[in-house]
Amino acid sequence: MRVSFLKAPIGGIIGLEMITFVEPLGLECVAGGLELEGHSCQIIDLRIDGLQKGFAKLRAFDPEIIGLQCNFTTERFRMLRLARRAKEEFPDALIVVGGHDASRDPQWFLKSGVDVIVVGDGEEVMPMLVDAWAKTRNFRSVAGLLINAPSGPMHTGPAPARRDLDELPFPARHLIRDYAGEYYISFRRPLALLETARGCPFKCNFCSVWKFHESTFREKSPQRVVDELAQIEAPNVFITDDIFWMNVKRGREMAEALAKSGIRKHYTIQTRSDIICKFPDLIEMWKDCGRMTVFLGLEKIDDEGLKSVNKKNTADNNNRAIRILQELGVGYTPNFIIDPTWDRVQFDKLKRWIDETGAYNSGFSVLTPLPGTDLWDETESDIQTRDWELFDIAHTVLPTKLPLDEFYAEYASLWRHTVDVRYRTEGRVKTYLTLAAALATRKVTLSAMRKGMRMGNVLSSPDTFLRAHRESESRLAAAQSLLA
């Protein structure tokens, strides 16, 4: 069968894609499995092509099944608009919605234009769905679906048991080859994604990853990781694992296998501070595999704050991990969760922590109750809007202790403060020379640098965030027709 996968157009209200703009790896993984079974697949990234060019490609391919991805809550309205248009132009095609957000809250997607929602890992469900549609035009026997039937929703039961990750087909990266040069993170471009593990054993209340994977944690073997990396041309690789080096033994084995392979990349990884504190030798080993940037979800600067989000970590670990990375000369980006109940004292405490540690690469997310999380269940009655574009972890959807304009004044001041600390620590001249050297050696592109600098200006302005709230009512009004 001919199966087209669509990534919805850019949306959002402050353009967080300016910081991180990545390939639709989930669609590539599903397409890889379907191609092995003889189906023809196409991936259209509408963030790059736009609707006019993208739908021209779609018409030329004439799909029998159209798959739409909704990984993030912010994509909901955009995805529904896309589903509606796809159904209008291809009335005989089966419109399938999948992705993390769709799996965590499938009932919400029972809307006009959507035929069926995949609940679970697409690689396990989609091959059976496509096969059933090809043979009988009936997929009620396929497990892992919520069917938007005329007679009412029908759930077909839990998705099949998840396989060993080494058994999964390789991602169909050739389907995004024309887009590959457009993906980046911060100033590093081009960028590819690599998955070496899925799931998380921890149970942070703001996260739904552990619920989606039912608290399981699965890994690819070191050799499988090397084999996938060998197919990646991009010099920059973002490893999507929620906790890299969770299995320390495998972390060491991967480093040895990569060093032996001769593959060298700039890796961006996500891990926990307690792992770094216990096993700093892992950092040393991975330095032999190429350059590295470590993303640390520190979340809070004190133990009380960490307990409030069920982080199961300590502030001492956070502080020690920063010092270890600094001593080893490894790039790092700490991220903190800003609670809407904060007053000025809490904002000032975080600024002082940045001053003391010199962690000027810090980022800041607003505590956001996303559907499918414990936090959503705990705060649902307090959530002030269903304007899903505001659920981008840069805006508050919960009541604030400070007046809203003062909250955002403090929030924007955090971003400005990191710039001030950078200049104070590194000096303006050195900062600019470093950027110039990165341009000269083509480690970053001029367009990526410009976007990054624009993003800095955007985040430093309180009105950036307030404007989104002022425009929320009109966005909701425009979306009403989609919710029928």
Side-chain angles (χ1 to χ4, degrees):
M1 299 205 82
R2 297 182 304 280
V3 184
S4 291
F5 294 99
L6 307 183
K7 182 65 181 176
I10 283 179
I13 41 189
I14 64 170
L16 288 177
E17 294 93 344
M18 296 168 93
I19 296 177
T20 303
F21 185 76
V22 298
E23 64 186 295
L25 182 61
L27 299 182
E28 297 163 43
C29 291
V30 175
L34 294 178
E35 287 189 333
L36 284 181
E37 299 201 357
H39 303 292
S40 298
C41 294
Q42 171 193 55
I43 294 177
I44 301 175
D45 194 334
L46 294 166
R47 298 171 301 174
I48 298 171
D49 282 339
L51 287 171
Q52 183 174 351
K53 182 178 179 181
F55 268 78
K57 289 183 177 180
L58 197 62
R59 294 183 201 103
F61 193 72
D62 192 23
E64 297 161 279
I65 296 177
I66 299 175
L68 310 178
Q69 182 188 55
C70 190
N71 271 345
F72 304 107
T73 303
T74 52
E75 297 176 305
R76 288 185 172 191
F77 290 150
R78 283 172 267 155
M79 190 284 305
L80 282 185
R81 290 188 184 93
L82 191 56
R84 189 76 58 86
R85 177 167 176 177
K87 197 63 176 176
E88 289 172 356
E89 294 208 26
F90 300 89
D92 296 326
L94 182 70
I95 308 298
V96 183
V97 172
H100 187 88
D101 186 56
S103 288
R104 291 306 311 149
D105 190 15
Q107 293 285 338
W108 189 88
F109 293 85
L110 292 168
K111 305 289 192 297
S112 174
V114 176
D115 293 317
V116 60
I117 300 107
V118 171
V119 184
D121 288 350
E123 300 102 322
E124 309 293 356
V125 180
M126 279 296 288
M128 294 186 296
L129 170 59
V130 174
D131 185 62
W133 186 249
K135 291 177 179 177
T136 66
R137 290 297 192 269
N138 189 320
F139 41 77
R140 296 192 174 205
S141 62
V142 176
L145 302 177
L146 179 61
I147 301 171
N148 194 11
S151 57
M154 175 184 173
H155 195 279
T156 63
R162 293 173 164 123
R163 288 175 282 172
D164 185 307
L165 293 184
D166 278 3
E167 297 177 11
L168 296 178
F170 278 43
R173 296 185 185 273
H174 62 280
L175 295 178
I176 56 100
R177 186 169 291 125
D178 290 345
Y179 306 126
E182 302 298 323
Y183 302 120
Y184 61 85
I185 181 170
S186 188
F187 294 141
R188 289 185 291 280
R189 173 180 179 176
L191 174 82
L193 298 184
L194 173 70
E195 175 193 66
T196 85
R198 289 185 189 178
C200 180
F202 294 93
K203 295 178 172 59
C204 299
N205 67 357
F206 57 85
C207 181
S208 62
V209 168
W210 61 273
K211 287 194 169 186
F212 178 85
H213 292 283
E214 300 173 319
S215 296
T216 62
F217 184 74
R218 296 177 293 154
E219 304 166 310
K220 294 177 181 176
S221 66
Q223 188 56 53
R224 167 66 183 250
V225 173
V226 171
D227 291 344
E228 284 199 37
L229 266 172
Q231 296 185 350
I232 293 176
E233 298 176 3
N236 305 295
V237 174
F238 184 95
I239 296 177
T240 63
D241 308 10
D242 288 278
I243 304 179
F244 199 48
W245 301 323
M246 184 69 204
N247 180 338
V248 175
K249 179 176 180 291
R250 188 186 75 117
R252 294 191 177 108
E253 291 172 349
M254 279 194 294
E256 291 171 354
L258 280 176
K260 184 178 179 180
S261 74
I263 298 172
R264 295 183 65 81
K265 306 283 188 181
H266 187 132
Y267 298 100
T268 299
I269 65 104
Q270 307 171 96
T271 194
R272 287 172 59 96
S273 63
D274 49 0
I275 293 175
I276 291 174
C277 291
K278 291 177 184 177
F279 307 102
D281 63 296
L282 269 176
I283 310 290
E284 294 277 16
M285 290 185 71
W286 273 81
K287 286 176 67 176
D288 293 334
C289 301
R291 295 172 60 82
M292 181 168 53
T293 300
V294 179
F295 180 91
L296 287 170
L298 301 187
E299 322 306 4
K300 303 289 183 178
I301 61 172
D302 54 41
D303 290 339
E304 182 181 0
L306 291 168
K307 185 177 180 180
S308 73
V309 295
N310 200 33
K311 187 68 179 181
K312 303 297 183 185
N313 207 347
T314 67
D316 182 61
N317 281 337
N318 289 348
N319 295 334
R320 287 169 54 210
I322 293 296
R323 290 195 296 271
I324 289 170
L325 293 172
Q326 290 172 337
E327 291 168 2
L328 293 175
V330 173
Y332 63 95
T333 300
N335 193 76
F336 295 94
I337 294 176
I338 309 305
D339 198 309
T341 63
W342 277 14
D343 57 23
R344 290 184 181 84
V345 172
Q346 280 75 38
F347 283 101
D348 286 341
K349 283 182 178 179
L350 182 50
K351 289 176 185 176
R352 299 293 78 78
W353 183 93
I354 295 168
D355 289 337
E356 293 166 5
T357 61
Y360 54 72
N361 285 329
S362 295
F364 313 100
S365 303
V366 177
L367 183 67
T368 303
L370 299 172
T373 64
D374 283 353
L375 185 62
W376 173 276
D377 295 336
E378 295 164 8
T379 64
E380 186 174 3
S381 62
D382 296 324
I383 297 172
Q384 297 181 312
T385 183
R386 292 300 188 271
D387 176 3
W388 302 115
E389 294 284 1
L390 284 173
F391 286 69
D392 62 354
I393 67 173
H395 294 83
T396 181
V397 297
L398 292 170
T400 57
K401 183 174 184 179
L402 293 170
L404 193 62
D405 59 339
E406 294 181 23
F407 174 83
Y408 282 127
E410 293 291 336
Y411 181 59
S413 75
L414 288 173
W415 294 100
R416 291 196 302 275
H417 190 72
T418 60
V419 176
D420 292 341
V421 174
R422 176 190 290 272
Y423 289 152
R424 204 161 57 230
T425 304
E426 301 290 342
R428 286 178 182 266
V429 173
K430 183 179 178 181
T431 299
Y432 294 146
L433 287 175
T434 300
L435 291 175
L439 276 174
T441 56
R442 298 185 178 180
K443 291 179 181 177
V444 301
T445 65
L446 183 59
S447 62
M449 187 175 294
R450 285 172 174 166
K451 286 180 179 179
M453 295 177 75
R454 284 201 303 272
M455 195 61 187
N457 292 332
V458 167
L459 293 172
S460 297
S461 170
D463 193 59
T464 294
F465 309 101
L466 289 167
R467 188 184 313 119
H469 287 273
R470 292 195 297 267
E471 296 171 352
S472 180
E473 187 174 339
S474 61
R475 279 195 303 274
L476 284 170
Q480 283 306 306
S481 62
L482 299 171
L483 304 179

